[in-house]
């Protein structure tokens, strides 16, 4: 079995909302979260998805 889709990172302003099992980046505010998500998207060659206003995930498709 080969994994083709998976979560690379989680970016959040609310640490209690972050799941375990992935790299989690805690940010002070929404602006910082958007900057970190954009940078990680490029670095990790993934896609950023906003799940809520306080939670982004970077996934590999």
């Amino acid at each position: 079995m080969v994994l083709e889709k998976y979560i690379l990172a989680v970016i959040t302003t609310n640490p209690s909302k972050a799941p375990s099992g992935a790299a989690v980046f805690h940010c002070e505010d929404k602006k910082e979260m958007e900057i970190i998500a954009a940078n990680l998207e490029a670095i990790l060659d993934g896609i950023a998805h906003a799940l809520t206003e306080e939670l982004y995930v970077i996934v590999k498709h």
Side-chain angles (χ1 to χ4, degrees):
M1 182 171 135
V2 176
L3 289 176
E4 295 180 10
K5 299 178 184 180
Y6 47 92
I7 296 173
L8 299 170
V10 176
I11 305 100
T12 185
T13 56
N14 184 349
S16 68
K17 297 280 186 174
S20 60
V24 178
F25 295 82
H26 299 189
C27 300
E28 294 295 320
D29 55 34
K30 186 176 179 180
K31 177 76 173 164
E32 181 185 14
M33 186 173 60
E34 290 170 349
I35 291 168
I36 298 294
N39 285 324
L40 285 174
E41 185 177 40
I43 292 166
L44 298 173
D45 193 29
I47 305 295
H49 296 280
L51 298 181
T52 68
E53 286 196 14
E54 53 190 22
L55 184 68
Y56 273 79
V57 293
I58 309 292
V59 297
K60 185 72 170 180
H61 290 286

